Structure formats: structure tokens, C-alpha cells
Amino acid sequence: MVTPFGWLASRIALERRSLRVASLTAMVAAILIIVGGGVVRVTGSGLGCPDWPACTDGSLAPTAQMGIHATIEFANRLLTTVLCAAVGWVIIAARLQREPVPGITRWAWVQFWLVVLNAVIGGVTVWVKLNPFMVAGHFLAATLLLTAAAITWDKTQNLTAKQQPESTRQLKTLGTSMLAINAVLVILGTAVTGSGPHAGDSADVPRMGFDWLGITVVHAVAAVLALVMALVIWRTANQQQVPNVASKATMYVLVFAGQGAIGIVQALTHLPELPVVCHLVGSALVWIGAVRLMLATHAPQRTVAARAHS
């Protein structure tokens, strides 16, 4: 039986550039979802639309009487539509490639199902009136979506590479450890947020039971460990002459340094809204860097001959 995609593929063939643009667009949309959620939280608009999937009982969109918080929350919900369109574009662009790319097509579909998961968790978050643990789960689900988008985009970069990336066994081990530390860092970040002042609504929303200063210090220690691990990867990659890994480690360290500076500023200034949102942007970029660095370290290992030649 011929599927709709199969019928289109027999008539339309797209170039690699269309896939690269589509995957980049989907990754940017995934970042916007994270940032949009942050804007909702710091403006106290989380329950601006008190129901889901409709904004309120009997109305899909907010009414004029519901105020600015409802508008902000509804605008954030509309970002999901943009994300769906971007992910749909990736699926179509991958399926209609002149030369098939089944691996990228599978990751595009992973993004689709993670969009569905995020929408459901977002709805449940509204139903439970912004329970901080559910809010944290919503952020982690958005991070999973960003992970799939980053992997898809990274894979499209290698399709037209003149020389395929390579790595070593030691770098692979370091890359796995580095991503694990970054995952812990992200989880600790949700605990810092869940214990802090930005509950997502002006109402009496419960917070996590952690001491905010204590969990922030633990988060900072994890950040230092992540940076040290990246520097170890950078040094090892240079010593073993693996330029692809070294360049991605350099980029990660630079982005991480900027993110760390923002984190220090927001902590010392008692979490004003703008630095908090900037910190969310930074966290998304750091995570993308961590994923791409891990992928670089997991490239095919050098042959003995190639290692001897280098």
C-alpha cells in the first residue's frame, strides 16, 4: 500500500539544505518553548488561563476581561502551534530527501511524539494548579524535546561533510560522563527554580521543600564539575588530535562561561525577571552544546592506521 509520504516522495525530491534549515528551525522553536514557559513563570501568568485545553470554561482564547496574564499564557500555548509546524517541516523534509536519511527521519518523529508529551504535561500542570514538581517535569520534558531537536540538527550537519568526524575510546567515555553531569545540573536547576520565588502565578502556589540557598550551592557545584569535565575533554581532544571534538568543547566552554556569569548575577540580585529568562536561554544553549559535544565524542573510533599516521 502506498502511503501519502511514499506518494509524495515518488514525485518530489528535496535537497540537503532544506533539511538543515528545517531542523534548525525546529531546534529554535524548541528553545522558544522553554523561554516562553520561563516568561509565563516570572510574570506570574501560569494560571492566567485556568483551564486546558481551552483557556477557560466555554472559551478557547482569553477574553478581554481576563487581563494580561491570560494573554501571556495563551501566547505561550500558541507557540506549540509554531513548534508543530516546525517539526512537521522536519518530518516532510527528511522523508522527501533525494537520498534517504532514515536515521534523521526517526529522530524527526521522536520530536513529534515529544511535542505531544509536552502538551499533555502542560495541560496537567494547569489542572494541578502549578504543582512545582509537575512544573519541573514539564521543563524536563521540554528539555527532552530540545535534545531530540539538537540531535536531529547535529546529524544534518554531517550529511554533507567532506570528512566524517572521528573520536577515540577515551573521549567517548568522557563525553558520556560529561552529558550525565549536565543532566544532573538541569535536574538540580528545576529544584532551584521550584524552591525560589517565581512560582508562576501570583496566587499561593506551593513550593518545593528545599532550602533555596543550599540547593543553589549544590547546583553551582554541579556546574563547576560540568565545566571541569568539558575542559578535560578539550585538553584530551587536543592531545589526541581530534579537532571536531576540540572545537565543540571550545564552543561549550564559551557558552557555559556566559551562562555561569548570568547565573551569578541573578543569584546576587535576588532573581529579577530578565536575568532569570536570560538564564533559561543560556541553559538551553548549554544543553545543546553538551548534546553536540557528546555526539562528537561518540563518533566512529579511529583506526589503528589513522592513529599512527596522526
Side-chain angles (χ1 to χ4, degrees):
M1 184 178 68
V2 179
T3 65
F5 278 127
W7 182 85
L8 279 173
S10 66
R11 290 162 173 78
I12 301 174
L14 299 179
E15 302 296 335
R16 295 302 197 214
R17 182 176 182 276
S18 64
L19 183 55
R20 290 197 299 271
V21 173
S23 62
L24 177 60
T25 302
M27 188 172 68
V28 171
I31 295 173
L32 289 177
I33 286 293
I34 291 176
V35 176
V39 171
V40 168
R41 180 164 55 81
V42 299
T43 58
S45 304
L47 295 177
C49 284
D51 204 357
W52 185 88
C55 183
T56 187
D57 187 25
S59 177
L60 178 64
T63 61
Q65 293 76 21
M66 295 178 69
I68 186 63
H69 291 310
T71 301
I72 293 173
E73 163 62 7
F74 187 70
N76 183 58
R77 294 186 183 187
L78 290 180
L79 280 176
T80 302
T81 304
V82 176
L83 180 62
C84 288
V87 172
W89 183 13
V90 178
I91 293 172
I92 293 172
R95 184 63 181 82
L96 301 185
Q97 286 295 292
R98 193 180 304 276
E99 298 178 23
V101 283
I104 293 178
T105 303
R106 285 193 293 270
W107 276 108
W109 278 106
V110 169
Q111 289 185 65
F112 169 80
W113 290 112
L114 286 173
V115 170
V116 174
L117 175 65
N118 270 273
V120 172
I121 294 178
V124 174
T125 302
V126 173
W127 289 343
V128 299
K129 306 303 178 185
L130 304 184
N131 177 284
F133 292 97
M134 186 58 68
V135 172
H138 191 28
F139 179 83
L140 294 177
T143 303
L144 283 177
L145 173 60
L146 182 61
T147 304
I151 292 173
T152 307
W153 181 62
D154 187 83
K155 287 182 176 296
T156 64
Q157 306 309 299
N158 296 327
L159 290 176
T160 56
K162 295 181 180 179
Q163 182 177 359
Q164 289 302 306
E166 58 183 8
S167 184
T168 65
R169 185 186 299 275
Q170 183 181 8
L171 286 172
K172 181 178 180 180
T173 301
L174 290 172
T176 301
S177 301
M178 181 275 310
L179 189 68
I181 294 173
N182 274 270
V184 171
L185 182 63
V186 170
I187 294 170
L188 287 172
T190 66
V192 173
T193 299
S195 306
H198 297 295
D201 189 77
S202 55
D204 186 20
V205 176
R207 313 304 292 134
M208 292 181 181
F210 304 112
D211 173 71
W212 183 81
L213 180 59
I215 196 66
T216 300
V217 171
V218 174
H219 180 64
V221 171
V224 172
L225 289 176
L227 179 59
V228 169
M229 182 61 73
L231 290 171
V232 170
I233 293 175
W234 174 80
R235 182 181 180 185
T236 304
N238 279 301
Q239 289 177 338
Q240 298 181 350
Q241 298 181 20
V242 187
N244 181 56
V245 174
S247 64
K248 286 184 172 60
T250 300
M251 184 61 67
Y252 173 90
V253 169
L254 292 175
V255 173
F256 196 97
Q259 168 71 342
I262 296 172
I264 292 172
V265 168
Q266 70 168 0
L268 294 178
T269 54
H270 306 290
L271 304 179
E273 288 81 358
L274 182 59
V276 170
V277 174
C278 290
H279 196 57
L280 278 171
V281 176
S283 70
L285 295 178
V286 166
W287 181 251
I288 291 171
V291 170
R292 297 197 72 205
L293 180 53
M294 182 276 295
L295 291 173
T297 62
H298 281 63
Q301 294 183 23
R302 283 177 174 171
T303 62
V304 176
R307 193 181 300 118
H309 178 73
S310 63

